[in-house]
Amino acid sequence: MRVLILAGIAPSTIFSHVPLATALRNAGHQVMVTASLDDLIPTITGVGLPAVRITDPELSPRQIIARDSRLLEIPEDPIAREQQSGHWYARLEAVTLDALLAFTEDWSPDVIVGGMASYAAPLLAKRLGVPHVRHGWDIHDPHLLDLGATEELQPELAELGLSGIPEPDMTIDITPPSLRPPNAAPAQMMRWIPGNTQCRLEPWMYTRGADTRIGVTIGTGVASYNQYDFLQAIVENISIADAEVVVPVTEDALPVLRDRLTNVLAGWIPLDVLAPTCDVLVHQSGGSTMMTALTFGVPQVLVPDPALHRANSMARRIVEAGAGILLTPEEATSDAVAKGCQEIVSNPTYAAAARALAREIAALPLPSEVARRIEWLVHEGSTGRPD
């Protein structure tokens, strides 16, 4: 079986596809992986997967978006901004369709696996007449993104004689069952397993040197989005909590942070190595970071951007489950962050709630089982198609 994976727009979305892609390869299937941005190819190959270029390396996402003045608008309302994000993702995906079709002339897939915002996946699957599997990246409901994407993709849909994005043949959901909305559509559940880029480990990365260890991360975009001030403020806030603080950052951000931060451990540490050593994980509510903490039963202090509906909605669900504390950036003062961490460390109910969610995740079907169900899906589809 040949599997083409459209893995999305960021390192974190690449990482989300690693467990299933690896399970498919281990089952003897051929797997190829693409991304919506050219500079993600090293991330794909860095996690041991074969990468195919489908983007113009000379054309940046900003240039693609700038072609249409409508897409340059950034709504202030978080819900409107979430829907506009669907427009952005859909346009970034649509420009890859010609390259994807050219690739599939040389390498014809039996099934397309696409992430939640990989909107080229259903269009390509429709053109090729093969099944489409939609792979969840986190616990967020993508319906607002889908609304924006449907509006943006009307010309591409019209070419296929469609008015809406085709429904997937299978949806993979990695949400702990108790966090799924009551009206959630049926889905193939799958255990979420971290798929981070790895490195040579030092003992301080996987052992703790104090009674309390707090991990602080704002994802892979510290240098790209110039978030040094934000990270420094959080770390300095936590430093009064009398705990060992560890900051996983990319190598490009490390020189600047070493100059700014004192009495912390910093470096590129795979989050799946760090998280099990932590009592608390402080972050901006990124989906992959959140899922890693949930997987290892680590309670969280969440500081989402109030303008991002996605981050806030996910953070609220963690808080409602009793596994975290939510602060806005304005609320994340020295006292508030330190008190939030201390509250989690001193009150065992947070850790108990986080461990309960971890048990839910561990009980879900493994990627190897989901890989077999994709085999059945393709087999059923092939027996129903004419030769």
Side-chain angles (χ1 to χ4, degrees), residues 27 56 80 114 157 173 177 198 201 275 349 361 366 368:
D56 183 346
L157 292 169
D173 191 350
Q198 299 298 313
L201 300 176
T349 61
I361 292 172
L366 287 166
S368 55

Side-chain angles (χ1 to χ4, degrees), residues 178-179 316-324 349-350 353-354 357:
S178 67
L179 296 186
R316 284 193 297 271
R317 290 161 70 186
I318 299 300
V319 172
E320 290 168 0
T349 61
Y350 291 98
L357 292 171

Side-chain angles (χ1 to χ4, degrees), residues 222-239:
V222 180
S224 301
Y225 298 102
N226 195 24
Q227 293 184 303
Y228 296 108
D229 291 342
F230 184 81
L231 181 58
Q232 182 178 0
I234 289 181
V235 171
E236 289 176 347
N237 292 343
I238 292 174
S239 65

